[in-house]
Amino acid sequence: DWDVSFKKESDGMDIEQIRELVSFLGPNNAKEAQQQALEYVVGLTGTDEGKNLLQRTDVVDHLCVPSILNETSQSIANNALTALINMTDDEESVKKMLDKKIVSIVVDSLKSSDNLTLNPLVELRVMLITNLSHHEAGTAALLGGTPGAKELTISKLIDLFVFKEDRGDSDPYSWVAIILMNITQLPGGRNVILDPNRNIIPLLLPFIKDKHPRRRRGILGMLKNCCFHIQNHPYLLSDEVDIVTHLLYPLRGNEVLSDEDQQGMHPSLTNRQIGKNKKREADVECRKLIVECLLLLSSYRENVDAIREKKVYPILREAEKAEEDPDAIQDIHKLVGLIMLYDEIPSKEEALEITSTKNFEKQATSHSSKEELAKPLEVVESDKIIDEDGTVHQREKKTPKVTPGPSSEPFEDYYDPLLKTIEEEIEEI
């Protein structure tokens, strides 16, 4: 009877029918019965009403078991993973998944897969981990386990991200960039990513120029999370990493800069290397993330010295001329203003004191994906980031007040519309 009655949508279905359906997911049932029940469950998870009904059953308990998720019949595992992915936008369902150790089950499956070529189940596993990492408890579970487990997990994810098989515009492993962004909200994730001995940051920096916008956004979001803490700045600004040059490249257009503009500029940013076909970053979110990273890196005087040496102003000047987004323009003005007010920027020692006493930090970024409708969940921003000591910082979107004063080392002796605008804004302050 259930085979006929469940072929309809969830409209009119009572909870007892749903529970009967879910019971066919048990291990003692025939594969055919499991498969057909899973097909109906996936359909239910595609609607809010269906998910509400399933929350009143033990469907998560049935799905979060290795015998289902690692089933040799790919159709069974595929449907089980898809159903779980669709339920990850519900906090209560996520809590049940985590209680059933879903993260360790899925991560163990990824670790045991030596073949990095595209596999439908690997794709779904990565998407499930992406959605779970959107929740703080999911991220903590991803970074938990036995000593060395988080390092192995991150290493496996990076293998999938970096060495994935090319598949044109369809890039399922691009979701790993979002996982890396989410895990860097916690100290455990940041510490692994920023470990100079692992060389992860230099490996991932080139992906801010990748053709897939999700890869670019994810890696830039990861970098922004890493830039929140000024203790990480010396490494990021070192010659080994040279984050400023990497960040400036997407902002560079094909404008012909003067010899004076190019003096001291990294060769990769000069007219000779750029060429007439160079296009500026097309995604406004990526452009804003780049400028936000530079703003965070300009938090104290010693950093500004290093950034000024990279000749950031000519590139920012041209980027501002081409920019159409008001928020991005405002951020560029803030950045140029900070560098112009060089004498008013605190030293590293003063900046450390500010961050420890006033929670002076920016906002961490988090993304999530959703599989069933092939649409991502809405991009959200977390209102907190967690420090080494477990302190949770609530973020305020405020610009620190600065008092302008004469500078003995003006940033650049340019007189153009951008600097004129910045000067007027400084006078108003």
Side-chain angles (χ1 to χ4, degrees):
D1 292 339
W2 68 267
D3 181 60
V4 176
S5 61
F6 290 132
K7 287 184 179 179
K8 299 181 180 180
E9 296 293 331
S10 59
D11 293 348
M13 296 175 68
D14 61 43
I15 188 60
E16 292 307 319
Q17 287 180 304
I18 299 292
R19 286 173 177 155
E20 182 185 1
L21 168 66
V22 170
S23 69
F24 282 92
L25 300 177
N28 296 326
N29 293 287
K31 300 294 184 187
E32 294 79 6
Q34 284 184 328
Q35 174 57 35
Q36 199 161 11
L38 275 168
E39 290 175 0
Y40 294 128
V41 167
V42 169
L44 290 170
T45 61
T47 67
D48 290 337
E49 182 183 1
K51 283 186 284 190
N52 289 336
L53 286 169
L54 287 172
Q55 286 169 11
R56 298 165 61 187
T57 73
D58 58 354
V59 64
V60 172
D61 293 344
H62 284 295
L63 294 177
C64 293
V65 291
S67 60
I68 290 285
L69 296 177
N70 299 327
E71 170 61 48
T72 54
S73 169
Q74 285 205 357
S75 58
I76 289 179
N78 186 304
N79 284 331
L81 288 165
T82 301
L84 289 172
I85 288 169
N86 290 343
M87 290 190 287
T88 51
D89 58 355
D90 174 67
E91 293 283 349
E92 188 59 34
S93 295
V94 168
K95 184 178 183 301
K96 291 178 181 178
M97 293 181 207
L98 296 177
D99 288 343
K100 297 296 290 185
K101 309 298 182 185
I102 184 63
V103 170
S104 61
I105 293 172
V106 176
V107 168
D108 286 346
S109 299
L110 288 172
K111 290 176 184 175
S112 64
S113 175
D114 294 326
N115 184 4
L116 294 182
T117 57
L118 283 180
N119 178 315
L121 296 186
V122 174
E123 297 172 30
L124 291 172
R125 288 165 185 154
V126 171
M127 294 189 74
L128 178 56
I129 293 296
T130 302
N131 282 14
L132 291 171
S133 73
H134 173 67
H135 304 268
E136 185 177 322
T139 304
L142 185 61
L143 297 173
T146 58
K150 65 184 175 186
E151 290 84 357
L152 184 59
T153 297
I154 292 173
S155 175
K156 181 64 179 181
L157 290 171
I158 291 175
D159 283 347
L160 289 170
F161 181 73
V162 175
F163 304 110
K164 58 91 183 177
E165 177 183 303
D166 186 21
R167 200 168 127 178
D169 294 333
S170 177
D171 188 357
Y173 297 144
S174 63
W175 290 112
V176 175
I178 310 303
I179 301 174
L180 296 174
M181 175 173 62
N182 290 342
I183 65 175
T184 51
Q185 292 183 84
L186 297 181
R190 286 196 301 274
N191 291 342
V192 175
I193 295 294
L194 286 161
D195 184 350
N197 295 323
R198 297 183 182 278
N199 209 39
I200 293 175
I201 293 290
L203 178 66
L204 296 178
L205 269 172
F207 287 95
I208 67 177
K209 298 183 287 186
D210 194 87
K211 66 180 180 180
H212 199 299
R214 189 182 300 125
R215 284 177 174 261
R216 303 199 303 273
R217 287 189 188 187
I219 296 304
L220 285 168
M222 179 200 76
L223 292 172
K224 179 181 172 183
N225 288 344
C226 293
C227 289
F228 284 138
H229 300 273
I230 63 177
Q231 295 90 338
N232 303 326
H233 291 181
Y235 171 63
L236 294 173
L237 292 169
S238 67
D239 292 338
E240 176 187 358
V241 176
D242 194 9
I243 189 173
V244 174
T245 297
H246 284 279
L247 291 173
L248 289 177
Y249 185 86
L251 294 181
R252 178 74 156 95
N254 63 355
E255 304 86 5
V256 177
L257 301 177
S258 68
D259 291 341
E260 185 179 2
D261 283 340
Q262 297 177 89
Q263 188 175 359
M265 186 175 284
H266 192 277
S268 66
L269 301 173
T270 60
N271 297 336
R272 181 184 296 273
Q273 294 295 322
I274 289 297
K276 63 181 180 180
N277 295 323
K278 170 68 168 72
K279 294 182 179 180
R280 190 172 281 107
E281 169 60 61
D283 184 80
V284 64
E285 296 304 321
C286 288
R287 296 197 301 271
K288 289 194 285 189
L289 282 168
I290 289 169
V291 178
E292 287 166 4
C293 287
L294 292 170
L295 275 167
L296 289 168
L297 291 169
S298 302
S299 57
Y300 60 88
R301 197 175 303 136
E302 293 86 342
N303 279 12
V304 174
D305 278 334
I307 292 172
R308 288 171 64 179
E309 290 178 2
K310 299 292 182 181
K311 299 301 292 284
V312 297
Y313 178 75
I315 294 176
L316 292 175
R317 180 189 67 213
E318 300 303 322
E320 192 267 355
K321 291 178 183 178
E323 186 57 66
E324 297 179 353
D325 183 83
D327 293 334
I329 292 173
Q330 185 179 22
D331 284 344
I332 293 174
H333 288 186
K334 287 179 184 177
L335 178 56
V336 175
L338 276 175
I339 298 175
M340 286 180 64
L341 291 172
Y342 176 78
D343 286 348
E344 302 304 321
I345 299 173
S347 65
K348 182 177 180 179
E349 183 178 349
E350 292 167 337
L352 283 168
E353 183 178 352
I354 290 172
T355 56
S356 64
T357 58
K358 297 186 178 180
N359 297 344
F360 179 64
E361 294 199 8
K362 294 284 183 181
Q363 188 169 352
T365 313
S366 174
H367 288 60
S368 182
S369 66
K370 187 176 180 181
E371 162 69 10
E372 174 67 16
L373 301 177
K375 294 180 180 178
L377 291 177
E378 213 168 305
V379 175
V380 300
E381 291 195 344
S382 170
D383 61 350
K384 58 190 174 183
I385 191 166
I386 302 175
D387 276 344
E388 299 283 351
D389 59 1
T391 303
V392 177
H393 294 290
Q394 298 295 326
R395 320 309 292 256
E396 290 185 316
K397 294 185 177 180
K398 292 184 178 179
T399 304
K401 292 183 178 180
V402 289
T403 305
S407 173
S408 58
E409 294 184 60
F411 175 45
E412 295 282 0
D413 191 21
Y414 287 108
Y415 295 93
D416 60 24
L418 173 57
L419 276 185
K420 185 176 171 82
T421 302
I422 296 299
E423 289 167 355
E424 289 173 354
E425 290 178 357
I426 291 171
E427 287 177 3
E428 290 179 7
I429 295 173

